[in-house]
Amino acid sequence: MERLPPELLTRIFSFLAIGQKTLAPYATISRAWQCTVEQHTFSQLSLSSDELERFNHAVVQSSHVHRRTPVRRVNYGVHLPDYDDNACGRFERQADRQINDEAFGKALVGLFTLLEVMDAGNGSRPIDLNILYFYSSMDINRRDTETLRAHEMAKSLGKRHDLFELRYQDSYLQLLQPESLPILYNVTSLTINGDTARKLAPAIAPGIMSRLPNLISTNFSISDMERKRPNRRTQLRSEFARQLTSMPTPQSLQKFDFELRHVQPANESFVNANVRGDFHSPDVDDVSTALQRFWQAAPSLTNFKLSGPICVGPELFRSPGEDEEDEEKQQQWQKLKVVTVELSLVRPDGGWYIELDPDRGSDSPDEEEEEDEGEEDEFEYSGHIFHDRTSSQNSSSSGYDSSDSFFAMNELPPDSYGYDDEKRDLRLNGEEPSAYFRTKPTAELEGLFTAAAHAAARMPSLRNMRVSLEVRPSGRTGRKRQKIGFLYLAPGVRGAKDEGRGRECRKVYWDAPKGWRMSGRLQNKWKFLLGDDGIVKYKEW
């Protein structure tokens, strides 16, 4: 067996590995088998920050070079400092968040330092880095089933104070000093899952990107919620814009997949806050402007996707004050082939991209969810008066003092301390009552579509562009989820809606409510790009 060529041994092992859960026993057959098995098992490594020393000993500093060279994918999780039973009953305070941020930064520095050693010309291949989870041992998703059941029972009996995930639901991990991370030339793909129970601040994504000069593709998932504390949300968005704007231009980046998830309120009468920020200008959205400058400056970018749905404005496609008449000036997106933007119904300025359709017809009456009987409390939120139809016994707090949490340092006090305030909390957050009635595109949505067409005309390599939002079920939509938006296809690109015709011309397919058509200005923009032979089709609902 020792005399078999390595290529043949690898071939034999590939058959053995099919369907096998445990491959380690094969490594004991011989040294040749050990090398073959470890080249397979070390190609994808999953470790937490607690295991960095073990990773260093077994892989980075190991005399077995064959353990380093096959490393292709690293999945990483960060173990945050633990807290005790008493802390389970109070919100994380500023001191808690500072400790967690420092631990998070230290964990990333530790990993980057070891990957930097592997980057020292030893033949290692490019690495896919995936930063996937962040936890403390007492977090609700880390307690074992038996312990969690006991804690829930004790709380229901009044014998335990425990906020469970509410303790940290308003905390966002920060990367305090991105420049402290070593520069890694061997990481070419980066995935960050920051929309978990423990959320990451959006600015972490560009902070880490700035230390990876050979990055080719990214996949980020970040939360953009905080409706109850809009000032905090605005701050998080502006910090992201500042970090993205200040980072070096990513010369090798080809694919940028960014989910900045904003779940729009279920109550479409909800008054949303203006979260545009003032890093660039009070009159434009910081996130949209920063993303526009970023994807314009990336010379190798071919695939650009924003999802969530994401809360962005027309600044994503066109700089404010840009000359609209000079369509033939120097192209700004030379290599872009695919652009996808999944819009939120809510605009960054707090308005909505869709409105009540006055021509909705008699088959789609306004719907209002029946309210439960009870006393009606009046309260003020963001300068507007709302009415809370909850019973007086449900409006009491659960006994925790706001001075015991970091919320006391913010402009708004806590709105919820747990189950007792759950119904009022849902109303403050726009989750109740459910009211879906918006179906017609507003002038602001047409303005964004116009800006997208303006940008598409300056993308000479563009093959596919989709910009749309999802309308929720109502009588007007036939009780189904529908879309408003367009799909652009370049000549030679066939889509599902082509029906076998027009493959050699430019095409725009619209999903829209019945009777909607492009305004003159928007139509002229697309006509400039489509030419005389272009096709425009509407799918009405």
Side-chain angles (χ1 to χ4, degrees), residues 14 90 101-102 124 127 135 153 161 191 193 224 255 296 309 311 337 352 394 398 425 450 471 473 479 517 522 532:
S14 66
R90 64 170 182 261
D101 292 345
E102 291 174 356
S124 62
I127 292 174
Y135 65 94
M153 178 63 71
H161 292 315
T191 296
N193 184 17
D224 180 33
K255 179 183 177 182
Q296 272 194 356
C311 183
K337 295 181 179 179
W352 294 79
N394 283 339
S398 57
D425 180 67
T450 303
V471 181
R479 307 296 176 186
R517 292 294 184 269
L522 177 55
D532 295 334

Side-chain angles (χ1 to χ4, degrees), residues 85 91-92 135 165 237 252 261-262 273 321 338 351 404 415 450 452 498:
D85 275 3
F91 291 103
E92 285 189 341
Y135 65 94
E165 70 272 15
R237 288 169 62 92
S252 58
R261 189 174 68 92
H262 174 254
V338 180
D404 197 32
D415 299 315
T450 303
D498 272 344

Side-chain angles (χ1 to χ4, degrees), residues 12 29 38 41 54 92 157 182 188 195 278 280 292 295 317 332 337 349 406-407 415 433 461 467 489 495 528:
I12 294 172
I29 296 176
E38 290 184 344
T41 57
R54 181 182 175 190
E92 285 189 341
L157 296 174
T188 58
D195 187 16
D278 56 7
H280 290 105
Q292 190 253 4
W295 69 316
F317 297 103
Q332 295 192 33
K337 295 181 179 179
D349 65 1
F406 69 79
F407 295 112
D415 299 315
S461 302
V467 180
L489 298 176
F528 176 85

Side-chain angles (χ1 to χ4, degrees), residues 4 18 107 159 220 246 264 281 397 409 414 423 442 446 462:
L4 288 176
I18 298 176
K159 297 179 180 180
F220 303 145
S246 63
Q264 49 264 5
S281 166
S397 74
M409 302 175 62
K423 189 170 183 180
T442 61
E446 285 212 17
L462 185 64

Side-chain angles (χ1 to χ4, degrees), residues 108-238:
L108 287 187
V109 168
L111 176 66
F112 273 54
T113 300
L114 296 183
L115 294 180
E116 183 184 31
V117 174
M118 296 174 59
D119 199 17
N122 58 8
S124 62
R125 295 186 295 174
I127 292 174
D128 297 340
L129 176 59
N130 304 282
I131 304 173
L132 301 179
Y133 54 94
F134 329 93
Y135 65 94
S136 185
S137 297
M138 284 297 287
D139 289 355
I140 188 171
N141 59 351
R142 304 300 296 188
R143 305 183 207 182
D144 61 72
T145 303
E146 184 176 343
T147 299
L148 181 59
R149 186 182 296 114
H151 287 171
E152 289 174 337
M153 178 63 71
K155 181 182 178 181
S156 67
L157 296 174
K159 297 179 180 180
R160 178 182 178 83
H161 292 315
D162 202 327
L163 290 168
F164 299 113
E165 70 272 15
L166 289 178
R167 167 177 163 79
Y168 44 83
Q169 74 168 1
D170 292 282
S171 297
Y172 283 76
L173 286 170
Q174 306 272 355
L175 181 57
L176 301 178
Q177 295 179 312
E179 64 279 4
S180 66
L181 297 177
I183 293 178
L184 299 180
Y185 297 94
N186 56 348
V187 173
T188 58
S189 175
L190 175 64
T191 296
I192 299 177
N193 184 17
D195 187 16
T196 62
R198 286 278 185 178
K199 299 184 288 291
L200 297 186
I204 284 179
I208 295 177
M209 280 182 66
S210 68
R211 313 306 291 172
L212 308 174
N214 290 335
L215 201 59
I216 295 175
S217 67
T218 68
N219 192 327
F220 303 145
S221 178
I222 308 290
S223 174
D224 180 33
M225 294 297 293
E226 292 290 353
R227 279 198 294 270
K228 289 179 295 180
R229 297 168 182 81
N231 287 350
R232 176 63 172 147
R233 182 177 166 215
T234 304
Q235 179 187 11
L236 289 166
R237 288 169 62 92
S238 293

Side-chain angles (χ1 to χ4, degrees), residues 460-492:
S461 302
L462 185 64
R463 309 295 290 162
N464 178 317
M465 175 186 276
R466 183 188 296 274
V467 180
S468 63
L469 53 77
E470 186 174 81
V471 181
R472 292 172 295 194
S474 67
R476 177 67 176 84
T477 68
R479 307 296 176 186
K480 298 178 182 179
R481 291 184 179 272
Q482 302 287 1
K483 288 187 179 293
I484 297 177
F486 68 85
L487 169 64
Y488 164 79
L489 298 176

